[in-house]
Amino acid sequence: MTDLATRTAPPRDGALRRAAPALLGYAAVRALGLVVLAMWSAARGKSAYTLLTARWDALWYTRVADLGYGYEVRLPNGDVHSNLAFFPLLPWLERLLHAATPLSYADAGFAVSLLAALAAAWGIFAVADHVYGRGAGVCAVLLWAVLPVGIVQSMAYSESLFTALAAWSLYAVLAGRWLTAGTLAALAGLTRPVGLAVVAAVWAAGIASFGRERSAAAAGAARADERAPAPSADRPSGRATTHKSAPEPPRAPGIARRVTAMLVAPLGAAGYVLWVGHRTGKGPLGYLDVQAGWRNGFDGGAAFARFVADKFTSFPSALAGAGLVAGVALVVWLYVVCVRQRQPLPLLVYAGVVTALALCASSYFGSKPRLLLPAFPLLLPLALALARLRVTRSALVVAGVAVSSAVYGAFWLNGSGPP
C-alpha cells in the first residue's frame, strides 16, 4: 500500500483557498439540484422543503431532538420501529441549534445538513488532494455532488454529517494527526452504525504504522550488525575482546498519540450501543434487537441476492434486475481498481467496510444507494480519469451528469424517495 504521508499537507491559511474551486463547484451542483427539485415539486403541488426536512428518517431525527428517545411504532405484522435505531449526534445538533436560534427542529436539521455537506465536500477534497493532487480533489468532490442520489446530501438526514466526519478523520490519519482522527472517528460512531468503518480505518492505519516501525527497527539493527567489527582474538592473553552492541533505536514519536487515537475511536459507537442495551434491558446486543424490529441485519447479502433474483422472474422487472446487477458490478469493479491503484490502507479499509455493510445488509433495498453515499474513495479512480481530460471536456461531462442527477433527484424525491 502507499505510504500514509504521500503528500505534504498544505498550510492551514491556504487550505480554504486551495479547496475553493471544489467547494464552489459543489455548491453550484447542489444549488442546481435544489432548483430543479423546487420546480418539479411545485408542478406536482408538493413542497420541496417538506420533502427535504419532514419525511422518512428526517421525521425520526426531529422527534428524537424534540422528545428524546423512547418513541416506537408497532406495525400490524408485529414489527416494532423504535427511534433507538437512530444514532444521536444529528438530533443533538438539531436540539442545540434550535435552542440557540429561532429555527425549528426541522429547520435546524436542514441547516446542519447543508453545512455538513460543505464540510464533507471539503474533507473529500482534502483526502483526494493529499493522495493524488488538486485536480483529482476537485473532480472527486464534483463526482460526489453529481451522484444520482446526491439530493440526499441536502436532506435533513445524517449522511452528509457522517461523510464529513469520516472524510476529515481519514485526512487526519493520512496527515499523521492521530488524536484528531480518533476524536472524529468517535463522533462518526455517534452518527451512524457504519461509523465502525471509520474506526476500522483508524485501527488499520495504526496497526500498519506499528508494523512498519518494527520492520524498520529490525532492518536498522541488521545493518548495524553488518557494520560492527568482528571480535578480536589477537591479544596476548588469548581472550577475545568484546564490543558493545549497537544501541537500540529510540522509540518513534507519536506512539502514545496513536494508541490514544485507537482507544478513543470506538468510544462513540460502543457507548451508544451499550447505552441502548442498558435502556432496553437486553445487554450489549440490545441494539441488534432494535435493528431487527426494523428488519435490519447483516446476512452477507443473501436477502439482497434473493431480491435481485426475483426481478428476473418477469418482464419488464428483469430490466430493473439487470440494472441492479450492473450497479453492484460497478461498485465492486471500482473497489478493485482502488486496490490496484494502491490507495492508502485506511481508505481501502473504510470504503471496503462501508460497501460491505451497504450491500450485505438485509435492510430496505431501496436504501442501498444512499447507504453507499459515504463511500467516496470509490470515486477516486473516476476522479483521476476525469482530471486527465482537458478542463473544457471535463466541465462538459460534469455539467451533463449534474443536470441528469438533478432531474433524477427531483423525480426520485417526489416518488418513492430515500426511505
Side-chain angles (χ1 to χ4, degrees):
M1 303 300 170
T2 52
D3 188 13
L4 290 182
T6 51
R7 291 178 181 267
T8 303
R12 292 185 180 181
D13 57 354
L16 180 57
R17 188 182 305 112
R18 185 174 179 84
L23 298 181
L24 291 173
Y26 177 80
V29 171
R30 292 277 26 97
L32 173 65
L34 292 176
V35 168
V36 173
L37 174 65
M39 295 172 60
W40 191 297
S41 302
R44 292 176 59 89
K46 294 183 179 181
S47 166
Y49 190 70
T50 299
L51 294 176
L52 293 169
T53 62
R55 289 186 69 187
W56 303 296
D57 290 6
L59 289 173
W60 288 89
Y61 283 119
T62 55
R63 183 178 288 273
V64 173
D66 185 15
L67 303 174
Y69 286 104
Y71 175 77
E72 63 184 28
V73 175
R74 294 184 177 272
L75 304 184
N77 64 356
D79 290 344
V80 178
H81 289 183
S82 167
N83 63 0
L84 290 170
F86 296 89
F87 276 50
L89 185 58
L90 178 57
W92 286 349
L93 293 176
E94 290 178 350
R95 182 180 297 176
L96 178 64
L97 195 56
H98 169 73
T101 68
L103 296 177
S104 67
Y105 290 111
D107 297 337
F110 185 62
V112 169
S113 180
L114 293 183
L115 294 174
L118 282 173
W122 192 356
I124 292 170
F125 171 82
V127 170
D129 179 30
H130 186 86
V131 179
Y132 294 121
R134 189 182 191 185
V138 172
C139 291
V141 170
L142 293 177
L143 288 174
W144 191 65
V146 302
L147 287 173
V149 294
I151 191 65
V152 175
Q153 299 164 18
S154 301
M155 296 181 69
Y157 272 37
S158 60
E159 273 78 8
S160 292
L161 178 60
F162 174 78
T163 304
L165 295 168
W168 282 109
S169 178
L170 291 170
Y171 174 74
V173 169
L174 296 175
R177 299 167 185 169
W178 290 97
L179 295 181
T180 301
T183 302
L184 292 174
L187 291 174
L190 283 171
T191 309
R192 294 186 63 80
V194 75
L196 294 174
V198 192
V199 177
V202 172
W203 272 72
I207 293 171
S209 67
F210 291 134
R212 284 193 302 271
E213 288 172 2
R214 185 172 182 178
S215 298
R223 286 193 297 268
D225 290 342
E226 290 175 0
R227 290 193 299 266
S232 173
D234 53 2
R235 287 193 174 187
S237 62
R239 296 179 60 189
T241 59
T242 58
H243 299 270
K244 292 183 178 180
S245 59
E248 294 184 2
R251 299 186 72 184
I255 288 181
R257 292 189 181 91
R258 271 174 286 175
V259 172
T260 303
M262 293 171 70
L263 293 176
V264 168
L267 293 183
Y272 181 68
V273 167
L274 292 175
W275 178 81
V276 170
H278 173 73
R279 183 183 176 98
T280 59
K282 296 183 178 180
L285 301 181
Y287 183 76
L288 298 181
D289 290 337
V290 170
Q291 286 286 6
W294 287 81
R295 294 189 180 270
N296 289 337
F298 188 87
D299 62 359
F304 185 45
R306 290 193 298 270
F307 173 78
V308 175
D310 288 342
K311 294 292 182 182
F312 290 96
T313 57
S314 62
F315 188 85
S317 66
L319 297 177
L324 289 172
V325 171
V328 172
L330 175 62
V331 169
V332 174
W333 176 76
L334 285 174
Y335 187 76
V336 171
V337 175
C338 291
V339 174
R340 288 179 176 175
Q341 291 182 346
R342 301 175 66 83
Q343 280 189 16
L345 179 62
L347 299 188
L348 292 177
V349 171
Y350 168 75
V353 175
V354 172
T355 302
L357 290 177
L359 295 181
C360 298
S362 60
S363 56
Y364 180 74
F365 305 116
S367 299
K368 291 192 181 295
R370 74 172 176 90
L371 296 180
L372 285 167
L373 197 61
F376 68 88
L378 296 179
L379 298 174
L380 295 186
L382 299 178
L384 277 173
L386 190 62
R388 294 190 184 106
L389 299 177
R390 292 184 178 179
V391 175
T392 352
R393 184 172 297 180
S394 60
L396 288 174
V397 171
V398 170
V401 179
V403 171
S404 302
S405 173
V407 172
Y408 176 77
F411 166 77
W412 187 46
L413 215 55
N414 277 275
S416 61

Short mmCIF file of all heavy atoms in Angstrom, two decimals, residues 92-105 108:
data_model
loop_
_atom_site.label_atom_id
_atom_site.label_comp_id
_atom_site.label_asym_id
_atom_site.label_seq_id
_atom_site.Cartn_x
_atom_site.Cartn_y
_atom_site.Cartn_z
N TRP A 92 -28.80 15.71 18.48
CA TRP A 92 -28.17 16.62 19.44
C TRP A 92 -27.88 17.98 18.80
O TRP A 92 -28.12 19.02 19.41
CB TRP A 92 -26.88 16.01 19.96
CG TRP A 92 -27.06 14.89 20.93
CD1 TRP A 92 -28.23 14.51 21.53
CD2 TRP A 92 -26.06 14.00 21.39
NE1 TRP A 92 -28.00 13.42 22.36
CE2 TRP A 92 -26.68 13.09 22.29
CE3 TRP A 92 -24.70 13.85 21.14
CZ2 TRP A 92 -25.98 12.07 22.93
CZ3 TRP A 92 -23.99 12.83 21.79
CH2 TRP A 92 -24.63 11.95 22.67
N LEU A 93 -27.35 17.96 17.59
CA LEU A 93 -27.04 19.21 16.90
C LEU A 93 -28.32 19.98 16.56
O LEU A 93 -28.35 21.21 16.65
CB LEU A 93 -26.24 18.93 15.63
CG LEU A 93 -24.83 18.36 15.86
CD1 LEU A 93 -24.16 18.02 14.52
CD2 LEU A 93 -23.97 19.34 16.65
N GLU A 94 -29.37 19.26 16.18
CA GLU A 94 -30.65 19.92 15.91
C GLU A 94 -31.18 20.59 17.17
O GLU A 94 -31.66 21.74 17.13
CB GLU A 94 -31.66 18.90 15.40
CG GLU A 94 -31.36 18.38 13.99
CD GLU A 94 -32.36 17.33 13.54
OE1 GLU A 94 -33.15 16.86 14.38
OE2 GLU A 94 -32.33 16.97 12.36
N ARG A 95 -31.08 19.89 18.28
CA ARG A 95 -31.56 20.47 19.55
C ARG A 95 -30.73 21.68 19.94
O ARG A 95 -31.28 22.71 20.40
CB ARG A 95 -31.51 19.41 20.64
CG ARG A 95 -32.04 19.89 21.99
CD ARG A 95 -31.96 18.79 23.02
NE ARG A 95 -32.79 17.64 22.67
CZ ARG A 95 -32.84 16.51 23.37
NH1 ARG A 95 -32.08 16.39 24.46
NH2 ARG A 95 -33.62 15.52 23.00
N LEU A 96 -29.43 21.60 19.76
CA LEU A 96 -28.54 22.71 20.12
C LEU A 96 -28.84 23.93 19.26
O LEU A 96 -28.95 25.06 19.78
CB LEU A 96 -27.08 22.27 19.94
CG LEU A 96 -26.01 23.32 20.22
CD1 LEU A 96 -26.06 23.74 21.69
CD2 LEU A 96 -24.63 22.79 19.87
N LEU A 97 -28.99 23.72 17.95
CA LEU A 97 -29.26 24.86 17.06
C LEU A 97 -30.64 25.44 17.31
O LEU A 97 -30.85 26.66 17.25
CB LEU A 97 -29.12 24.38 15.61
CG LEU A 97 -29.02 25.47 14.54
CD1 LEU A 97 -27.86 26.42 14.84
CD2 LEU A 97 -28.82 24.84 13.16
N HIS A 98 -31.59 24.58 17.62
CA HIS A 98 -32.95 25.06 17.94
C HIS A 98 -32.94 25.92 19.20
O HIS A 98 -33.64 26.94 19.28
CB HIS A 98 -33.88 23.86 18.13
CG HIS A 98 -35.22 24.20 18.69
ND1 HIS A 98 -36.20 24.86 17.97
CD2 HIS A 98 -35.75 24.00 19.94
CE1 HIS A 98 -37.26 25.04 18.73
NE2 HIS A 98 -37.02 24.52 19.93
N ALA A 99 -32.15 25.51 20.18
CA ALA A 99 -32.09 26.26 21.43
C ALA A 99 -31.38 27.60 21.26
O ALA A 99 -31.68 28.57 21.96
CB ALA A 99 -31.39 25.43 22.51
N ALA A 100 -30.43 27.66 20.32
CA ALA A 100 -29.62 28.87 20.15
C ALA A 100 -30.18 29.83 19.12
O ALA A 100 -29.74 30.98 19.04
CB ALA A 100 -28.19 28.48 19.76
N THR A 101 -31.15 29.40 18.31
CA THR A 101 -31.69 30.23 17.23
C THR A 101 -33.21 30.08 17.19
O THR A 101 -33.78 29.21 17.86
CB THR A 101 -31.10 29.80 15.87
OG1 THR A 101 -31.60 28.49 15.55
CG2 THR A 101 -29.58 29.78 15.90
N PRO A 102 -33.87 30.89 16.37
CA PRO A 102 -35.33 30.74 16.22
C PRO A 102 -35.73 29.56 15.33
O PRO A 102 -36.93 29.36 15.09
CB PRO A 102 -35.76 32.07 15.57
CG PRO A 102 -34.60 32.98 15.68
CD PRO A 102 -33.39 32.13 15.73
N LEU A 103 -34.79 28.80 14.84
CA LEU A 103 -35.08 27.72 13.91
C LEU A 103 -35.86 26.60 14.58
O LEU A 103 -35.63 26.28 15.75
CB LEU A 103 -33.79 27.14 13.33
CG LEU A 103 -32.93 28.07 12.47
CD1 LEU A 103 -31.65 27.35 12.05
CD2 LEU A 103 -33.70 28.53 11.23
N SER A 104 -36.79 26.01 13.84
CA SER A 104 -37.47 24.81 14.33
C SER A 104 -36.50 23.64 14.25
O SER A 104 -35.40 23.74 13.69
CB SER A 104 -38.71 24.52 13.47
OG SER A 104 -38.31 24.13 12.16
N TYR A 105 -36.91 22.49 14.78
CA TYR A 105 -36.04 21.31 14.72
C TYR A 105 -35.81 20.90 13.27
O TYR A 105 -34.70 20.52 12.89
CB TYR A 105 -36.66 20.16 15.51
CG TYR A 105 -36.66 20.38 17.00
CD1 TYR A 105 -37.85 20.59 17.68
CD2 TYR A 105 -35.47 20.39 17.71
CE1 TYR A 105 -37.86 20.79 19.06
CE2 TYR A 105 -35.47 20.59 19.10
CZ TYR A 105 -36.66 20.80 19.75
OH TYR A 105 -36.66 21.01 21.11
N ALA A 108 -33.43 23.34 11.73
CA ALA A 108 -32.09 23.09 12.26
C ALA A 108 -31.45 21.88 11.57
O ALA A 108 -30.27 21.90 11.23
CB ALA A 108 -32.15 22.88 13.77
#
